[in-house]
Amino acid sequence: MMHGDESYSESLEEFLKKIKRWYETDHEGFKTMYDAAVKNVVPYPDDTPEDVRCDWKHKDIQFLCDFFRKWYAWQPGVNNGLDYIEKFSWLNYENDYGMVFVTCGPGLKMTADFTHLQGMQMDASGPQAKELINKWVEELGPKRMADYEPADWQTFNEFFIREVKKERRPIDAEDDDSVVVAPADCVINMIVDELTETTPIPVKTVTMNVAQLLGNSSYAERFIGGTAVSCILMPDSYHRYHAPVSGEVVEARDDIGGVYYGMRDFPDLLDKGNVGYGYDYEMFDHFRRGYVIIRTEYLDPRNGHRDGEGYVGLVPVGLNSIASVKFLPKFKDLKEPVPVEKGDEIGNFEYGGSLNILLFEPGRFPALQLLQGQRIGVLEDPERTAGLFTRSSSHTQSRRRRPLAP
């Protein structure tokens, strides 16, 4: 397989030999950019937990190779699935040179190649796959696993996109098309409440360029002045995503290329359990992603009468260690609109970090609204909270270089 003009490596050893050769020959500036990145590393905060520390300052190419070797051999668990991503992120944490290295040229090819190797790992069957699946089943526990259809999963990715039992995720107000439902098991944040046409404009420390996000789709203008809502999937979540409204998919793309790594402050995304609040989402229009545009009929929630026709956007974004945005076949290469009911499956993410961004037209989705008795969250196991959502409060605060809105 190819990434640009480079063939993907078929083994870890081939990959390590490649990046060593690139460094020795300064292939496309690889050595120049890596040396600049490690020279300008910004120290992580003093209270960073030991298990996610990695000091990249002035580290040589052998250190980079050893890091990838350890990462490749490591088996992620339910509560530590983000650890190596965070360790790698210190290379570009608040570091312009590090950002250039992991998002451009040979550094981008390097992260694409390693992500490809990880994908091959996760798609492989055999004793190691079974061991990792059993580890996750045990860590998730019988209560959470009871949500899923039992299956004889042969690869970790088969397990990762396991099918949920329909009765465990009933569609709320199934016959009321005025009600919007969550597209996935996710942590929800309102991120932008006045989308801009082309220029990223800060809104509560958050920016987004909707035209770039939708790959310059002609439908982007529909969402100018509207609302975007982020739906962040944690590594141990159900990883299929579904239609938030009923209607018909009129446009879809699952192939918008972009970077694999390069969050300037990845740990800030975790934000003391309030995942993604106040985070700068501008970068997500540079990550690998897709989108579907759903034409829907608006109903007046007061009387159920028709209130016009409009559009809702669903943008799946594949983040670190993933880069896979997979649609069901019927949403690929659309030649005509495809009908969908609220809750219908659209696609899935394989292993890694991911999110969906919902886009709404102006005035149509003013706020998150819940009825009494509906779920708003769960009382978490502190071990899961520590592993997925948070570091100490002082640690999170010490990372910030800009104030957050209240």
Side-chain angles (χ1 to χ4, degrees):
M1 294 182 65
M2 303 285 290
H3 175 75
D5 58 351
E6 295 284 341
S7 296
Y8 282 132
S9 301
E10 293 303 316
S11 71
L12 178 67
E13 295 308 317
E14 182 184 343
F15 168 75
L16 297 178
K17 285 179 182 177
K18 179 190 292 185
I19 63 173
K20 275 189 174 180
R21 184 177 70 253
W22 285 1
Y23 186 83
E24 290 165 359
T25 61
D26 200 19
H27 173 71
E28 296 182 354
F30 184 87
K31 179 181 187 299
T32 300
M33 287 190 281
Y34 177 70
D35 286 350
V38 296
K39 179 182 178 181
N40 291 279
V41 162
V42 174
Y44 47 68
D46 291 340
D47 55 355
T48 298
E50 193 66 37
D51 55 358
V52 293
R53 292 186 176 200
C54 185
D55 182 6
W56 289 93
K57 192 74 171 180
H58 298 304
K59 292 299 189 290
D60 60 15
I61 186 62
Q62 189 59 51
F63 182 90
L64 179 65
C65 289
D66 290 343
F67 182 85
F68 279 127
R69 187 181 295 278
K70 292 173 184 174
W71 192 352
Y72 187 79
W74 173 71
Q75 284 197 329
V78 169
N79 296 315
N80 69 346
L82 302 176
D83 283 5
Y84 260 86
I85 295 172
E86 188 159 0
K87 287 180 180 182
F88 188 65
S89 77
W90 299 122
L91 177 60
N92 57 271
Y93 167 64
E94 298 291 357
N95 176 4
D96 289 340
Y97 294 93
M99 288 291 293
V100 169
F101 176 65
V102 300
T103 62
C104 300
L108 173 58
K109 292 176 183 177
M110 175 192 72
T111 57
D113 204 348
F114 187 69
T115 299
H116 170 71
L117 286 174
Q118 288 181 308
M120 289 174 59
Q121 254 188 326
M122 296 302 178
D123 283 335
S125 58
Q128 284 188 316
K130 286 291 190 180
E131 179 185 348
L132 184 55
I133 291 169
N134 291 338
K135 174 184 176 182
W136 275 62
V137 168
E138 181 178 352
E139 289 187 29
L140 287 168
K143 181 179 178 182
R144 295 184 68 188
M145 285 304 300
D147 281 358
Y148 299 97
E149 296 287 356
D152 183 19
W153 301 290
Q154 296 300 307
T155 72
F156 184 73
N157 266 335
E158 285 182 4
F159 166 77
F160 194 69
I161 60 170
R162 58 199 178 274
E163 185 178 2
V164 76
K165 295 176 180 175
K166 288 187 173 22
E167 66 269 19
R168 298 284 182 159
R169 299 293 186 276
I171 304 303
D172 196 26
E174 197 165 4
D175 297 326
D176 185 348
D177 286 346
S178 68
V179 174
V180 178
V181 299
D185 287 8
C186 54
V187 178
I188 290 183
N189 280 284
M190 190 72 71
I191 55 174
V192 179
D193 52 14
E194 190 173 349
L195 293 172
T196 62
E197 185 169 4
T198 55
T199 305
I201 296 177
V203 181
K204 298 181 180 178
T205 78
V206 181
T207 58
M208 181 171 291
N209 182 325
V210 66
Q212 288 180 3
L213 190 69
L214 294 178
N216 294 312
S217 165
S218 61
Y219 287 97
E221 63 184 24
R222 296 274 183 174
F223 305 108
I224 303 304
T227 305
V229 179
S230 79
C231 306
I232 300 175
L233 285 73
M234 302 310 292
D236 62 342
S237 299
Y238 169 62
H239 264 71
R240 303 187 188 202
Y241 42 89
H242 299 251
V245 295
S246 296
E248 54 184 13
V249 174
V250 294
E251 187 171 283
R253 285 187 61 187
D254 63 352
D255 61 348
I256 303 178
V259 301
Y260 298 77
Y261 289 85
M263 292 189 188
R264 188 176 183 86
D265 187 0
F266 171 76
D268 202 31
L269 180 68
L270 306 183
D271 190 18
K272 301 198 299 293
N274 192 6
V275 180
Y277 179 78
Y279 198 76
D280 186 347
Y281 280 76
E282 178 184 359
M283 71 178 57
F284 292 144
D285 58 29
H286 301 297
F287 270 81
R288 299 179 71 81
R289 63 198 182 279
Y291 68 81
V292 296
I293 305 296
I294 302 173
R295 181 163 55 211
T296 189
E297 185 175 278
Y298 291 132
L299 299 178
D300 187 331
R302 295 167 298 181
N303 54 31
H305 295 163
R306 191 176 187 277
D307 188 24
E309 186 178 79
Y311 297 85
V312 173
L314 169 68
V315 184
V317 182
L319 304 179
N320 303 322
S321 284
I322 182 167
S324 69
V325 173
K326 296 195 171 182
F327 287 173
L328 296 182
K330 65 182 178 180
F331 300 115
K332 293 175 175 287
D333 302 319
L334 249 62
K335 299 295 190 296
E336 57 185 31
V338 176
V340 290
E341 296 295 328
K342 181 168 54 177
D344 282 355
E345 183 178 343
I346 300 291
N348 64 68
F349 295 111
E350 292 181 343
Y351 179 72
S354 46
L355 62 93
N356 286 290
I357 296 173
L358 299 182
L359 302 174
F360 299 95
E361 293 179 295
R364 289 296 182 175
F365 196 86
L368 298 176
Q369 302 172 64
L370 295 171
L371 297 177
Q372 183 274 324
Q374 291 184 304
R375 170 176 168 152
I376 61 173
V378 296
L379 301 174
E380 290 285 5
D381 179 338
E383 183 180 356
R384 178 175 188 263
T385 302
L388 292 180
F389 296 120
T390 185
R391 305 301 176 203
S392 70
S393 177
S394 61
H395 179 214
T396 304
Q397 286 300 113
S398 68
R399 291 176 178 170
R400 301 200 190 287
R401 303 209 169 182
R402 60 183 186 276
L404 286 183

